[in-house]
Amino acid sequence: MGKGRTEAFSDGVFSIAITLLILEIKVPPFLGQSNRELAWALLSLWPSFFAFVGSFATILVLWINHHGLFTLAEHATPKCLFANGFLPLLVIFLPFPTALLARHLTGPGANTAAVVYCGTYVLTNISYYLLLSAVASPQSIRKDIDSALVQRIRITYMFGSLIYIAATIVAWFHAFAGVLICSLPWLLWTHLSYSNKAGQK
Amino acid sequence: MGKGRTEAFSDGVFSIAITLLILEIKVPPFLGQSNRELAWALLSLWPSFFAFVGSFATILVLWINHHGLFTLAEHATPKCLFANGFLPLLVIFLPFPTALLARHLTGPGANTAAVVYCGTYVLTNISYYLLLSAVASPQSIRKDIDSALVQRIRITYMFGSLIYIAATIVAWFHAFAGVLICSLPWLLWTHLSYSNKAGQK
Amino acid sequence: MGKGRTEAFSDGVFSIAITLLILEIKVPPFLGQSNRELAWALLSLWPSFFAFVGSFATILVLWINHHGLFTLAEHATPKCLFANGFLPLLVIFLPFPTALLARHLTGPGANTAAVVYCGTYVLTNISYYLLLSAVASPQSIRKDIDSALVQRIRITYMFGSLIYIAATIVAWFHAFAGVLICSLPWLLWTHLSYSNKAGQK
Amino acid sequence: MGKGRTEAFSDGVFSIAITLLILEIKVPPFLGQSNRELAWALLSLWPSFFAFVGSFATILVLWINHHGLFTLAEHATPKCLFANGFLPLLVIFLPFPTALLARHLTGPGANTAAVVYCGTYVLTNISYYLLLSAVASPQSIRKDIDSALVQRIRITYMFGSLIYIAATIVAWFHAFAGVLICSLPWLLWTHLSYSNKAGQK
């Protein structure tokens, strides 16, 4: 069983989820605003723009890692298909906690919003972990992939999980600090290599 | 005529249908809620989350079976293209009865909602049956596919149909029991193998 | 220049346009309806269901013909890319005249709605004609394609155009008759073969 | 690392962004309009239709250039993946300034709207420039691509940038003139060739 359609389905979900983000930003209606008023109206949309760019970057990085993870696989086993299903569920869901956070971070419900936000990343990380396990099974993985490479990716994922869990706990007491910690693993995901030799990728 | 574009079109429909599900869940607007109030507002969205995860899992399982079914085909005949068109119609439609059920299952209109819900699965099952017939025709099927395998899949589909029809009838009298029966064939669809040897897949 | 991405882009547009159709159908809100009331509420949605199934079938048939037309091409020339751009514009637009017709066919503005509806099919047909011209150019077409086949497809398209133009004129005087004539070419599009030998396809 | 999935992800984003445009156009509700009234209601939607066709053509031309640019690449390096991520962000965003312009071009806030509109094209152009740099790196580019070709594309992009920056500045003083200048580079993008020999493409 090839992995082409699994990738196509995932690519579809990633690209749609990323595109739907724009639906959250509403064009200011025409009310006879002057240049200055319209500029202010646009600037006051900044939390929407911020959530848009943030969600976009997050889904893009998730996609790049998904792409890397699937280069390890030779075949898409049924186990991969189901593990791969859990991840899109979270990708599709991601704009929800992001919008929740954008609306409530400066209000009295900030902790709840931040815990939901950080908790979603814990789940997302778990879904990558499950997918890695499915991809790394002997029925699925490419023959030329080093077990040391799989081990290195697994440890990176575990390390990311720990940070996300810490962020969720911190967010319970201090919303902003939790969200900040939650953004740290980005350094992991943008630098993680999915090839045997680090320089080759 | 290759089957690449038929799969691409189907993958597109499946991935979009699955992504649109999130549009049903609305982020609670900012009203100065406290942490506790926001948590309650989120928890009270549970029927939406439930319908979201349920629809998601359903479409994912349909996609995995669609994927399996198409591994049997060598060519996409015009008959396949039309048979394959009926299935996306139902995939796209699925969120409608699911949302209907989520809203009305606890109200006085539960039976109507449950009959529509179960009846949609009867139609979905018929569309898989039609697609199997198109794929299993001599012009379309791969040379190395056993007729015993096709027969086994066909019987599984028929068995699923019987359960769905029973569920629809039961739902007329007892909504909740009908929906429960309707979820039984999941065991069939997640375990159905589309390869000659059960262990190989 | 291969034709893979042109097909992928088109498949994306077709599958998204077909999936967005469901957004037009709204789930009846919960108002404590009884089984009978809910059934009536669902039945009263029939124009939406009708427009949904109609638009779906139309886009599916357009896609199948697009699929057939592209099997003739060896390369996607820049001319193909631009010609192919006009068609998605109309595919995306199609739900608009369909919804317009569904809402106004039984009212006093029926003729306007029917003329817009039939006129859209004239434009769609022209876009297929342009795409055929681009695909049939010597830089683009497969070496083994008979010029007689291209000629046969071209005549079928012309014949379809004449029917659509007639339908648009008739719709100006009698809305329902125009729409009826507009549905006749379906017999052409579902039976048109894009291979040298009719039986082979 | 192949470039197939990068293209698939991009194609998904382009085709979804282009399809979502139709959501901006609302079907006139049924209010018992006569033929004449309905025709007027449709004609009064012209700014929406104009923005729809304009955004559509823009995204199509961007896609055709993206397609051309990727024919130069042999491999999708991680650098390409990130550079390629910035472009979809802008493609998804494009309908926003277009709708803003359509609503405010004839009002007192025209300059603000026009500056945002033209400024978006400056950013889009920069994103193509970044993508070209990523694609043209020795790790990514096809062996048979002339450095003269890359140089020619780079100069065209730079020339386009200058026009867009000029348009943004002009729009600050005269909205309409800025938008007009902003549409000039279309001649560049529709005629730019991405192959070694101009006639071959």
Side-chain angles (χ1 to χ4, degrees), chain A residues 14 53-63 94 98 117 121 186:
Chain A
F14 276 102
V53 174
S55 298
F56 187 95
T58 306
I59 296 180
L60 184 71
V61 170
L62 289 176
W63 178 78
L94 261 177
T98 311
Y117 180 84
Y121 282 93
W186 270 57

Side-chain angles (χ1 to χ4, degrees), chain D residues 114-175:
Chain D
V115 165
V116 171
Y117 180 83
C118 297
T120 307
Y121 282 95
V122 175
L123 290 177
T124 307
N125 210 69
I126 291 172
S127 80
Y128 270 89
Y129 195 86
L130 290 175
L131 192 54
L132 175 65
S133 303
V135 164
S137 75
Q139 288 85 39
S140 172
I141 202 160
R142 264 166 47 207
K143 295 277 168 285
D144 60 320
I145 295 295
D146 234 334
S147 69
L149 173 64
V150 171
Q151 193 57 20
R152 186 163 55 76
I153 299 172
R154 185 172 285 137
I155 288 171
T156 313
Y157 282 10
M158 276 183 181
F159 189 57
S161 283
L162 289 180
I163 301 178
Y164 286 134
I165 291 171
T168 309
I169 294 168
V170 169
W172 187 252
F173 300 99
H174 195 293

Side-chain angles (χ1 to χ4, degrees), chain A residues 92-162:
Chain A
I92 295 169
F93 182 65
L94 261 177
F96 180 84
T98 311
L100 188 76
L101 188 73
R103 284 193 200 169
H104 291 273
L105 186 55
T106 55
N111 295 94
T112 298
V115 165
V116 170
Y117 180 84
C118 298
T120 307
Y121 282 93
V122 176
L123 291 177
T124 307
N125 209 68
I126 291 172
S127 80
Y128 271 88
Y129 196 86
L130 289 176
L131 192 55
L132 175 65
S133 304
V135 164
S137 75
Q139 288 84 41
S140 173
I141 202 160
R142 263 166 48 206
K143 294 278 167 286
D144 61 320
I145 295 295
D146 234 335
S147 69
L149 172 64
V150 172
Q151 193 56 22
R152 185 162 55 75
I153 299 171
R154 184 172 285 135
I155 287 171
T156 313
Y157 283 8
M158 275 182 180
F159 188 57
S161 282
L162 289 179

Side-chain angles (χ1 to χ4, degrees), chain B residues 1 5-6 8-9 12-13 16-17 20 78 81-82 85 88-89 92-93 96 99-100 103-104 107-112 116, chain C residues 7 11 15-16 18-19 22 25-30 32-35 38-39 42 49 56 60 63-64 66-67 70 201:
Chain B
M1 196 185 280
R5 285 195 65 191
T6 309
F9 176 72
V13 169
I16 298 152
L20 290 181
L81 297 190
F82 285 100
L89 181 77
I92 295 169
F93 182 65
F96 180 84
L100 189 76
R103 285 195 198 165
H104 291 273
N111 295 94
T112 298
V116 170
Chain C
E7 292 183 343
D11 287 347
S15 52
I16 298 152
I18 218 167
T19 311
I22 194 64
I25 306 185
K26 307 292 180 200
V27 179
F30 181 70
Q33 299 99 320
S34 69
N35 281 324
L38 186 58
L42 290 172
F49 287 119
F56 187 95
L60 184 70
W63 178 78
I64 291 175
H66 187 270
H67 182 292
F70 261 75
K201 207 163 191 177

Side-chain angles (χ1 to χ4, degrees), chain D residues 55-140:
Chain D
S55 299
F56 187 95
T58 305
I59 296 180
L60 184 70
V61 170
L62 288 176
W63 179 79
I64 291 176
N65 277 275
H66 187 271
H67 182 290
L69 199 47
F70 261 74
T71 59
L72 306 185
E74 185 73 46
H75 299 289
T77 58
K79 202 177 147 196
C80 284
L81 298 190
F82 285 99
N84 191 47
F86 185 38
L87 178 58
L89 181 77
L90 288 160
V91 168
I92 294 169
F93 182 64
L94 261 176
F96 180 84
T98 310
L100 188 76
L101 188 75
R103 284 193 200 168
H104 291 273
L105 186 55
T106 55
N111 296 94
T112 298
V115 165
V116 171
Y117 180 83
C118 297
T120 307
Y121 282 95
V122 175
L123 290 177
T124 307
N125 210 69
I126 291 172
S127 80
Y128 270 89
Y129 195 86
L130 290 175
L131 192 54
L132 175 65
S133 303
V135 164
S137 75
Q139 288 85 39
S140 172

Side-chain angles (χ1 to χ4, degrees), chain C residues 23-103:
Chain C
L23 296 183
E24 284 293 306
I25 306 185
K26 307 292 180 200
V27 179
F30 181 70
L31 304 161
Q33 299 99 320
S34 69
N35 281 324
R36 185 180 293 265
E37 287 164 346
L38 186 58
W40 270 109
L42 290 172
L43 289 176
S44 72
L45 288 174
W46 76 265
S48 296
F49 287 119
F50 192 78
F52 171 63
V53 174
S55 297
F56 187 95
T58 305
I59 295 179
L60 184 70
V61 170
L62 288 177
W63 178 78
I64 291 175
N65 277 274
H66 187 270
H67 182 292
L69 198 48
F70 261 75
T71 59
L72 307 184
E74 185 72 47
H75 299 290
T77 59
K79 203 176 145 195
C80 284
L81 298 190
F82 285 100
N84 191 47
F86 186 39
L87 178 57
L89 182 77
L90 288 160
V91 168
I92 294 170
F93 182 65
L94 261 176
F96 180 84
T98 311
L100 188 77
L101 189 75
R103 284 193 200 168

